[in-house]
Amino acid sequence: MREKPVSTADLRKCKQDRQPIAVITAYDYPSAKLVDEAGVDVILVGDSLGMVVLGYDSTIPVTMEEMLHHTKAVTRAAKRALVVADMPFLSYHGSLEEALKNAGRLMQEGLAKAVKMEGGTEIVPVVKRCVQAGIPVMGHIGLTPQSVYQLGGYKVQGKDAQAAAKLLKEAKELEEAGVFSLVLECVPEEVAAKISESVSVPVIGIGAGAGCDGQVLVFHDVLSYASTIKPKFVKRYADVGSVISQAVSAYIDDVRTGRFPAKEHSFHASEETIQALYGEGVKS
Ligand code: KIV
């Protein structure tokens, strides 16, 4: 495993070498430490944190302050992986200067190495402005969760020829605008493969099949960690939720039945202190 920090240039080289890129989300210090030590290439502080960590119904309520809070925790832990932070809903849809300021905060205060933005043609000017200022930008097209109410739900995108051609056009426009990579979410495998081979930047798929240059999944989905959604594209690698539930139930039971704490979990006073407290002949 490479020890030096992963750069955007390394990701481009992975694409050239046909070396698939592994991306996973993380939202706090312990999860970021574990996925970084496991050797993931990119950690995405996704605004999915709104749903899997903060309990919102969608990513829309997530604020800049929440993104910053979680990005700071992740970047404290990540020693090797490239940390990309999501720009939350409406943080890049006002003026270009406001978008630049928000992207800059994720890097200067959050210490992210790059930001991610959802959208196609309409965000090209914002991407250009941030890239000009030296901010690496990851694009995100296909199913863009911040537009869920406009899209009418979490549905597969680019299914007909016209929609597929639009996605391909947007991918090229974003590449031209300077993104270093592109997330492609919930798109038929054949469409995603065509987009991946048509752009020079690495395309990271989620629900976009095996033809992408890399894959991203949400930490809580991969681990079944209090994750209630079960989309077709998620592969579950562990059942951490059950492990936690069983362990906490056992703890509750031990406390209630007096099995915890046992002698080995307790500190003990000296003989002299015990005698002073309890008097002669009384033992703990
Ligand atoms: O917010 C997120 O976690 C994402 C990924 C699902 C790509 O955008």
Side-chain angles (χ1 to χ4, degrees):
M1 195 204 314
R2 182 178 37 194
E3 286 310 319
K4 88 178 168 50
V6 177
S7 67
T8 56
D10 291 328
L11 300 180
R12 190 179 273 260
K13 175 129 185 6
C14 284
K15 174 164 180 137
Q16 283 158 4
D17 297 347
R18 296 186 184 282
Q19 174 65 54
I21 298 163
V23 183
I24 194 162
T25 65
Y27 316 100
D28 60 16
Y29 185 89
S31 60
K33 186 171 188 300
L34 290 172
V35 302
D36 190 59
E37 287 172 358
V40 75
D41 299 307
V42 177
I43 300 177
L44 173 66
V45 191
D47 61 353
S48 51
L49 71 86
M51 298 170 84
V52 297
V53 175
L54 301 178
Y56 298 142
D57 280 347
S58 73
T59 59
I60 289 166
V62 177
T63 64
M64 268 303 294
E65 299 314 314
E66 286 166 343
M67 285 309 305
L68 276 168
H69 177 78
H70 289 274
T71 302
K72 285 179 189 177
V74 168
T75 55
R76 273 178 221 128
K79 304 285 175 246
R80 178 185 167 276
L82 183 89
V83 177
V84 180
D86 250 338
M87 301 231 12
F89 184 61
L90 294 191
S91 66
Y92 52 105
H93 298 91
S95 69
L96 291 184
E97 293 320 301
E98 191 194 350
L100 182 65
K101 187 178 124 232
N102 286 330
R105 286 191 74 194
L106 289 169
M107 294 187 71
Q108 286 191 301
E109 296 173 45
L111 302 182
K113 297 287 192 311
V115 302
K116 176 165 80 61
M117 298 173 191
E118 296 181 7
T121 315
E122 73 284 4
I123 67 154
V124 162
V126 186
V127 173
K128 282 188 177 160
R129 182 70 188 97
C130 289
V131 172
Q132 269 166 10
I135 298 175
V137 178
M138 177 181 258
H140 182 160
I141 56 172
L143 171 56
T144 45
Q146 290 173 10
S147 311
V148 63
Y149 298 122
Q150 207 165 40
L151 296 172
Y154 297 97
K155 297 175 182 166
V156 178
Q157 303 296 307
K159 287 211 282 194
D160 59 45
Q162 199 184 352
K166 182 167 181 275
L167 281 179
L168 180 58
K169 179 173 164 282
E170 288 182 329
K172 287 181 176 169
E173 285 173 0
L174 289 167
E175 176 188 29
E176 178 68 25
V179 296
F180 73 88
S181 176
L182 200 54
V183 166
L184 199 50
E185 180 163 353
C186 282
V187 171
E189 181 166 53
E190 300 74 15
V191 177
K194 175 70 183 163
I195 293 172
S196 303
E197 68 185 42
S198 304
V199 294
S200 60
V201 296
V203 172
I204 310 298
I206 174 163
C212 298
D213 305 304
Q215 300 293 326
V216 56
L217 282 177
V218 168
F219 181 84
H220 293 64
D221 295 342
V222 169
L223 300 176
S224 297
Y225 180 13
S227 151
T228 47
I229 55 153
K230 293 195 174 26
K232 176 187 169 83
F233 58 79
V234 169
K235 181 170 174 186
R236 303 205 181 256
Y237 287 85
D239 191 357
V240 166
S242 297
V243 172
I244 293 175
S245 294
Q246 281 163 22
V248 175
S249 296
Y251 164 69
I252 293 167
D253 201 46
D254 275 5
V255 169
R256 289 186 180 153
T257 57
R259 282 196 299 269
F260 179 82
K263 271 239 178 281
E264 66 268 28
H265 305 119
S266 306
F267 302 105
H268 298 283
S270 67
E271 226 17 73
E272 195 188 356
T273 308
I274 294 166
Q275 277 190 16
L277 276 174
Y278 292 93
E280 285 295 326
V282 181
K283 291 273 179 250
S284 62

